[in-house]
């Protein structure tokens, strides 16, 4: 179950994003916001995967499951 504070935090983040993108409709800004957040998550996972890979401890089944 989601906590209320999580929902309020998400709205604040979007409202801040939208304030910087007022030339967009709310729908366009929401789609753009989701794309930015998704890109950040993907980038973070890629960087996190590089750490064990660089240490040469990521191989075999574990590596293939992550991919």
């Amino acid at each position: 179950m989601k906590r209320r504070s999580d929902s309020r935090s998400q709205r604040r983040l979007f409202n801040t994003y939208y304030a910087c993108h007022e030339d967009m409709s709310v729908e366009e800004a929401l789609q753009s916001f989701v794309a930015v957040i998704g890109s950040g998550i993907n980038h973070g996972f890629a960087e996190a995967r590089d750490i064990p890979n660089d240490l040469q401890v990521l191989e075999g089944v574990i590596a293939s499951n992550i991919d």
Side-chain angles (χ1 to χ4, degrees), residues 41-58:
I41 291 169
N42 289 337
H43 183 78
F45 274 113
E47 284 186 355
R49 188 190 188 289
D50 285 345
I51 295 168
N53 193 44
D54 291 346
L55 296 172
Q56 298 176 347
V57 295
L58 187 62

Side-chain angles (χ1 to χ4, degrees), residues 49 52 57-67:
R49 188 190 188 289
V57 295
L58 187 62
E59 51 192 38
V61 174
I62 295 171
S64 63
N65 286 341
I66 290 174
D67 292 337

Side-chain angles (χ1 to χ4, degrees), residues 23-56:
D23 57 316
M24 297 180 178
S25 70
V26 173
E27 184 64 30
E28 290 172 324
L30 185 56
Q31 289 176 359
S32 176
F33 178 71
V34 169
V36 168
I37 296 298
S39 174
I41 291 169
N42 289 337
H43 183 78
F45 274 113
E47 284 186 355
R49 188 190 188 289
D50 285 345
I51 295 168
N53 193 44
D54 291 346
L55 296 172
Q56 298 176 347

